[in-house]
Structure formats: structure tokens, C-alpha cells
Amino acid sequence: MQHRIVVLGAGYAGAIVAGRLAKRLRREDVAITLVNAEPDFVERVRMHQLATGQRLRPRPFDEMFAGTGVEVRIAKVTGVDADRRTVAVSGADGDGELAYDTLVYALGSGWNPQGVPGTAEHAYEIAGRPGALRLRERLARLGAGQTVVVVGGGLTGVEAATEIAEARPDLRVALAARDGLGDWLSPKGREHLRKVFGRLGITVHEHFTVGSVEADRVVAADGTAVPAAVTVWATGFAVHPIAQATTLEVSETGQIVVDGTLRSVSHPDVYAVGDAAMAMGPGNKPLRMSCASGTPSAWQAADAIAARLTGGKLPHVSIRYFNQCVSLGRKDGLIQFVTADDRAVPAALTGRLAAFYKELVCKSAAWGVANPTLGVPARRRPVTAKRAAAGSALREPA
Ligand SMILES: Cc1cc2nc3c(=O)[nH]c(=O)nc-3n(C[C@H](O)[C@H](O)[C@H](O)COP(=O)(O)OP(=O)(O)OC[C@H]3O[C@@H](n4cnc5c(N)ncnc54)[C@H](O)[C@@H]3O)c2cc1C
């Protein structure tokens, strides 16, 4: 009987897990199903580009996974029953249920309005495709001289503000940051950021904590208001509530708590990868929601699942940070080199070379997803019945 592996979510992390497992395990031993709500891969790292009218290359899953042995199912996941080991899905052919022996949860994240009044009604977001398309349509209708305020001084806010300012020099673009601009960067990185913001004419409101968003302005907690024809909310990401509604152990953020092999600490037949996982990285700090950590977490989970099913040695993939790659429009960028636990070191690359480097990183991340089995060394040891049952046996009450 085949061991049923169901992977939920075909973003950077889920697609990589599915492809890698297909290379690591024998087709006769496993049935791998990859469930995703949309029929093509969404390059989330380019959502600010989509919002400013750029065309992104379509990447349909049926082409990407053709011939790999992975069955792609286009459906929305509506629930997980981690005790019955089933997933509820809803697709073009109606509602259904998928049973699994091993589950990989990779549903990623969306925007995080943080309960700030007015955000849900008035703000735009770029955490996913629908939000980016909505903003794209709104920006296209904005007349010269109107103001766009990007809220959030982190990586996504900085990328969004510079992209909009470069694409639409006729608009007034502002950034509202809770701290100082680029506070977390090295002096060189910070200086470059200020230079680019100056060149693009972006106004920066530092130490500005937004307390509410209204139709035509954002208001700070102390009552200071900044006019905004459009407010773009980019203050970090929040995970989908599905995991929280299960018996899986989740963190306060709703992420599934996993061990060093990305395996759920409460349910050994469940793994979580990417933004959906609460995994500890170097320095015992939670991994940041990013492709930078999501991709190695996917390699680690796939290799651990394959090792456990076939009796191989448990792998150890090093999950550490090397740099933060920030686009500053299409012609400029910043590569901030960091320690293993993501703290800035003095070295940074700036300017056109950095823009080129960042583009290369985005392209290779998408290439890895679009060619999920290419370049993955095949190690196809047979799945043993004893090993396959081990996960569920561990779940039996003592
Ligand atoms: C504008 C922007 C710029 C970014 N830049 C960078 C960067 O430069 N570097 C970096 O490392 N990170 C960056 N990130 C963060 C990065 O995109 C995410 O951390 C990464 O996409 C997480 O990967 P994932 O596979 O966990 O989730 P996702 O990429 O979000 O994939 C989740 C998948 O699950 C699917 N899904 C969700 N819910 C359901 C459901 N209920 N049913 C079925 N399918 C579902 C989605 O359709 C999607 O395909 C950026 C993000 C944004 C928005």
C-alpha cells in the first residue's frame, strides 16, 4: 500500500517539499498530493512589482509538476483534522476530504492588519496576489500629486515605497515607520537607504505608530495625521487561522510549533514549513517569515520525511541567514550582509550591482520552484511498512 503524503500549499516551501520528496522516494511506495488554492505559482516576493503594473511570468503548476509523479490538486483547504488525519478541501468539483499518512502544512501567510481600526476597510496590501492586483488598479486611477502612504518600515514597506515612487514619480509617496528608517541596517546600509529615499522624493515619517486608518489619511497614536489618498499596509505577515483551529500545538502567532526537523511537536505525522512554521533558527530565535529561511526549511523537512520513511540517516540542513536582499525600485538595491541569526554586519552591497544580485536571487528562487525535481539528487530507498507506520505509532496514547 502506498504511503499518502499530502502537502498543503504550493508556495516556495510547499512546492519545494513536494518536488524533493518525489526525488527522494520511489513512486510505487508513495502517493504525493500537492493542494493549492490557485492553479499557478505566485511569486510573493514580487508583489510590489505586480502592484506597480509590471507583468509577472505565469507559472502553471500542471506544467511545473508534469512527469514528476506529484498529483496537483487545485482546491482551497478549509480545515485539518490532525487526529483523524484528514484535510477538508473545497474545489471546482465541490467539497471533499483527503486522508493522509504524512501531512506537510505550508499554507504560508497573508497581511497583518494587527487590529488597527480602519485598516480592513481602507488600507491596501501586497502580501498576496489579490491584494497586489487591487492596489495596482487603484494606483492606475490616482492622479498626479496624490499621496500614497506606505505603513511599515521593514523590508516589505521599504520595497513597496521605493517601487511605487520609481514607477510613479508624479505621485507623492511617504513611508510611516514605527522606528527610524532602516534602524536594523549597518551604517552603510542605512546611509544608502536614506540616499535612495531622497533621490526618489519619498517623505519619511519616523517614530510614527499608526493608530488608525481613515479613507483619506493615517492617524498616529498621538493624533498626528498624514493625508493619504491610498494607504498601503505593510507591517509584517500573519498566518492563516486553519492550524489554530486544530489540536496541533501552535504558537501565539498561530504558527505550528516544530522541532529541528520541522516536525510538529504534538503530532509526529505532521510537518510544517515556511511562514506557517514556528521553527527555531540560530541563536534559538524564531525563523523570520521569508523565502530565505522557508526554502532551507523545505529541504530539511523533505529530507527528514524521506529518511524516516526509508530508515535513512536523519539529515541536518543548516538554516542560517547570509544576507537581506532589498530591492529599491528596479535600478537600485541593498544587500545587507548579516550574521547567522540575521543581525547586520558592516558589509553591504548597494546600487545597480545590488539590484542585479536581488533579481538573481528572485529568479533562482522561482527557478527552484518551477523545476521542483531538477538538480535534486535521487535517493530512492524503499519505504518500509514499519517505518511508514512509525509516525502514527508514536501518536498512540501511552
Ligand atoms: C512584497 C513581498 C516581498 C517579499 N520579499 C522577500 C524577500 O526579498 N526575501 C524573502 O526571503 N522573503 C520575502 N518575502 C516573504 C516571502 O514571500 C514569504 O516568506 C514566502 O512566500 C513564504 O513562503 P511559503 O511557501 O511559506 O508561503 P507562500 O509563498 O505564501 O505560499 C503559500 C501557498 O499556499 C496557498 N494557500 C494559502 N491558503 C490556502 C488554502 N486555504 N488552501 C489552499 N491553498 C492555500 C497559497 O495560494 C500559496 O500558493 C516577501 C513577501 C512579500 C509579500
Side-chain angles (χ1 to χ4, degrees), residues 8-15 35-38 40-49 61 75-78 106-110 126-128 155-156 159-160 237 240 242 273-277 288-295 324-327 358 361-362:
L8 305 182
Y12 294 93
V35 187
N36 199 69
E38 301 195 52
D40 53 354
F41 174 61
V42 174
E43 277 184 88
R44 273 185 71 194
V45 301
R46 293 193 193 272
M47 287 302 102
H48 51 305
Q49 295 176 239
F61 288 121
K76 195 167 165 33
V77 175
T78 53
L107 292 181
S109 64
I126 54 163
L155 296 169
T156 312
E159 290 198 329
F237 306 129
H240 302 292
I242 292 174
V273 288
D275 288 1
R288 170 164 58 88
M289 289 189 192
S290 63
C291 290
S293 51
T295 300
Q324 295 176 2
C325 303
V326 195
S327 67
K358 164 86 196 211
V361 168
C362 293

Side-chain angles (χ1 to χ4, degrees), residues 32 69 74 84 104 172 183 212 272 281 294-295 322 335 341 362:
I32 304 171
I74 305 306
R84 281 179 55 237
V104 182
R172 290 169 205 264
D183 261 1
S212 65
T295 300
F322 295 96
I335 309 300
D341 65 347
C362 293

Side-chain angles (χ1 to χ4, degrees), residues 217-235:
R217 58 183 202 160
V218 294
V219 183
D222 66 4
T224 315
V226 171
V230 169
T231 300
V232 181
W233 196 261
T235 62

